[in-house]
Amino acid sequence: MADAPPPILSLVGVSKAFGGVQALQDVDFTLRAGEVHGLVGENGAGKSTMMKIIAGVHADYAGRFLLDGREVRFRSTRDAHAAGIAMVHQELSIAPDLSVAENVFLGTQITNRLGMVQWRRMAQEAESLLARLGVHADPRQQMGDLPIGMQQLVEIARVLFSGARIIILDEPTSALSPPEIARLFSALRHLRAAGRSIVFISHFIDDILSIADTVTVFRNGRKIMTVPAADTTKGGLIQSMIGRGHAELEESYTNDIRLAAPAAGPVVLEADGLCLGRSLRDVSLSVRAGEVVGIYGFMGCGQAELARVLFGKMTPERGSIRVAGRRLRRGGTAGARRAGVAFVPDSRRAMLFHQEPVYKNTSISILGRLSRLFLKPAQERALAQRQIEALRIRPPRVDALLGALSGGNQQKVALAKWLTYPPKVLVLSEPTRGMDVGAKDEVVKIVHGLKAQGLAVVIVSSEPETVLSMADRILVLRKGELVREFADEIVSKDRLLEAA
Amino acid sequence: MNDDITSASTAHPAPARRGLGAIARSQMRNIAPFLTLIVLIVFFSVVSPSFATLGNVGNILTQVSVTGIIAAGLTFVILCAEIDLSVASIANATGIAVAYFTLQDSYVNIANVPVPGWVAILLALVACSALGVVNAAGLVVIGIPSFIMTLAMMQIAAGISALLVRGQIAYKIPALISTLGSGSVGGIPCIVLVAAFVLLLSHLVLTYTRFGRYVYLVGSNREAAENAGVNVKLILGAVMVISAVCSGIAGMLGVAHFGSAQQNEFDTYLLDSIAAVVVGGTSLFGGRGGIGNTIVGLFVLGVLNNGLDHVNIDSFLKILIRGLILLLALIINVYAQRLRETSAD
C-alpha cells in the first residue's frame, strides 16, 4: 500500500482480563480501509480476544473503540453486524443438516414481501457466490455431506459476501488445501480492491506474508509491533512472536529433513487393506518397534478415520489390523487397549474427566491391571503420585480436580494415563494442533522418549511441521488412499505438500 | 487460542483460596437435598403430634422400601446419563409373573402355570433380566436413545402384565416372596431389610468396584471413557440390566406387600423412583451423585408423602405439592451442575 488510507477502526489502550489472567494489556490497533491486516502470535497471545472485542463477543473491556472516528461499544454480535463487522471463528460453526444454500444465507435468507423464503433465488445466488471461491457444490446438497475444507469455504463465503465492510478471519486456512487457499486469497484481493478491510489471523506465517499488507505481532497480551508485510520476513516475525531464541526450531521444520534409515525392530502394528466408505481405500501400513510413522494429509483426507480405525473406534468394512501378530477383532476400544494400542485424540476434552481428581484420570486405562473386581485406591494414588513426579505435573496433588489444572498440565495427565504400563502401539491424532512452539517442542521430546523405549508410534496429522519434526517415515494420504511414502531420504515441507 | 486464555483464567481457583463458600458451592447437590429433608422433618414434627413417633418412622421406612429397591437400580442408569422409564412396568410384569407361576385359588380365573416356588422365583428373575437385556440391546446395539427405548419397553411390559392376568387379580405367591415382602424379623419388616440390603450392595458396587468406577466415568465423559479403552457399550448394557433386575425384585416384594398381583399396580412408582434419585441430587447429566443421594431423596419423598397425610390438607392439593417439590429439585439439580462446572472447569 503506497498511500495510507484513513483508519476505519481503531482501538486505543484496550485491556481485557479473564478472571485473574490479563488477556490483553493496553493494546492500540488500527485498521485501514482496503487493507488486509495479518495478526500473528503464539496461543494465548491475545489475538482472538481482541478480535472478539471488535466482533462484539466480549462487551466487557477497558479502553476505547473508535469506528469511523466515533467511539462505540458493542453489547452483542448483533451490534457489530449492524455496524458492518463480521467474523469467521476458528471453530467451524455451520448447520450440518441444512442445505449448502441455507448455510450461505444463514440468518439472511432471501425472502419476498410476504416473508416467504425464495428457495430458487437463494440456490442460484449461493451457487454463484461459491463459484467465486472456486467451490462447485450443489447448493441443495446437505452441508454435512461436504468435505471439511469445503464446509469451511462455505462458512467463509457466508461472511465474505455478507456485505460486511470489516471481515475478520480467525485461522481460515487450517482446513484448506493449497489450491483452495489460493482461491480464497484471490477472493480476498477482490474484496480489498473494493475497499473492504480484512483481518487475517493465522498460525501459518507463510499465508500471512503472502496475503497481508500489514502485520501486527502479539505476545502475552501485548502488541509487540505493527509493520508493513513487505518490510518483514518469516524469521523476523517468529523472533518477535516468541521473543526468545526459539527460531531455530521453526527453521528446522522448513529446511530439508533427512529421514532416518528404516528401523530394524520387529513389526508391531500391521494394517492390511483397510477400507471404510469414502474415507479409506485399501490402506496398508506396518510400523516397527521403535519407529515413528507420520501419516500426513489435508484435513478430511481420511487421516482422522484411520486413527479411529486403528484404535477400534470404527470398524473397517474390509481389511485387518494385527498388533504383535495377533489379529484385532471387533472388540471396540477396549479390545484395542487390551491388545496394547493406546490412543491420544486431538482434543483434551475427548480424553479427560474434568470433574474428577487427577488420580482417577491417570488410572482409568489400567484399572483392569490393578484389580479384578475391587478397586485399590492406595495403589492408584501411589501410581498417580509417581506419574505426577515423573512428568512434573502441577499442582503435585493426586486429589486435585483435573479441571483446576492448566491446559499443559492436563495434557501431561492425558499422556500419563498410557505411560504406567507402556503400550505396544501409540496412536496420536493431531498431537500439536493449536499448540504454540514451546508446547510443540515438549511433545516432540515425549515422542522421542517413547520411541527410545521401543514403542511403535503412529502420528496422524494435517500439519506438515508436526510429522516432519517427529516421524522417521512419512506416509501421505490423499482422499483415503496412501499415495506416497517418504523413507530414508531427504524431505521438506514443499515436497510433502506437493505429494498430498 | 482464545480457548486457552479463558480456560487458563478459570483454571486456577488456587486451592489455597478455596474457602468454605467454594466447598459449599461444589457440594451444593449433596447439601441441598439434606437440608430439604431436615426442614421437612422439623416442619411435620411441629405441625403434627402423630408424625414424630416410632411407629410412624416404621411406616415411612416400609413405604419407601419398594421405591428404594427400584431407585437403587435406577441410580446406576442415571449415573450413566441414561434413563429407564420402564422400571414400574417391569416391576409390575415381574410381580405378576411370579404369581402366574404359583397355584392360585380356584376362584381366580387365570390360566396359570403352577411350578414349585423357587422355580417361579427363578423364572420371574429370568423374565425381568430378559426385559433388561432387550432394553440394553436397543440402547447399545441398535442405538435407540434410552428415553425412547424404555418408553417402548414400558408399554411392552404393561402388555405382558395384561396378557398374563387378563383383568383378574392373583393372590397366591411363593412363600419366600411372601415372607420377604410382608413378614418381619424382630419387629423390623423384612421388606425394609431387603431394601437396605439392595441399597447397601449397590453402594458398595458403585464405590469400591472397577465396574462402579466405570459407571461414574462413562457418565462423566463418555467419549473420554471410550478413548481410554473402556467398553462403554458393555457398561451401558449392564446398567440397563441391573435396573431391570432391581425393578423385578421390587415388583415381586411389592406384590407380597400389597397382597395381590394385578395390572397397573405400580404406576406411581415410575415417577417416585425417578424423583427419589433426582431429588437426592444425582445428576441427570451423569457422573455425579450416588446411592447416598438416592437414600436422602427417598426420605425426602417418603417424609413428604407421609407427612402430608398427618396434616389436614386437601388430598388433591397433595398431588400438586409433590409436583412442585419435584420441580424445585430439578431446578437445584441443574443449578448445582452449573455451579460445579464454573468452579471446577
Side-chain angles (χ1 to χ4, degrees), chain A residues 15-25 49 53 60-62, chain B residues 5 9:
Chain A
S15 300
K16 164 87 188 159
F18 293 101
V21 176
Q22 199 70 30
L24 274 184
Q25 218 161 346
T49 307
I53 288 174
D60 174 29
Y61 57 89
Chain B
I5 294 177
S9 65

Side-chain angles (χ1 to χ4, degrees), chain A residues 339-359:
Chain A
V341 185
F343 176 59
V344 179
D346 48 16
S347 94
R348 256 182 259 136
R349 194 158 284 280
M351 59 182 154
L352 291 168
F353 304 91
H354 287 250
Q355 300 190 6
E356 302 290 349
V358 167
Y359 80 92

Side-chain angles (χ1 to χ4, degrees), chain B residues 130-143:
Chain B
L131 296 180
V133 168
V134 173
N135 270 340
L139 175 63
V140 302
V141 179
I142 307 174

Side-chain angles (χ1 to χ4, degrees), chain B residues 112-156:
Chain B
N112 68 341
V113 184
V115 292
W118 66 271
V119 180
I121 297 171
L122 206 64
L123 286 173
L125 284 174
V126 168
C128 63
S129 315
L131 296 180
V133 168
V134 173
N135 270 340
L139 175 63
V140 302
V141 179
I142 307 174
I144 307 171
S146 59
F147 184 88
I148 306 296
M149 181 62 222
T150 58
L151 198 61
M153 178 53 71
M154 183 167 133
Q155 200 63 31
I156 291 168

Side-chain angles (χ1 to χ4, degrees), chain B residues 202-216:
Chain B
S202 303
H203 175 70
L204 294 178
V205 167
L206 280 173
T207 317
Y208 297 109
T209 68
R210 186 150 66 99
F211 172 74
R213 174 71 62 78
Y214 287 156
V215 167
Y216 275 98

Side-chain angles (χ1 to χ4, degrees), chain A residues 10-16 25-29 61-65:
Chain A
S10 42
L11 298 182
V12 184
V14 166
S15 300
K16 164 87 188 159
Q25 218 161 346
D26 197 21
V27 168
D28 296 337
F29 177 76
Y61 57 89
R64 303 204 309 145
F65 178 175

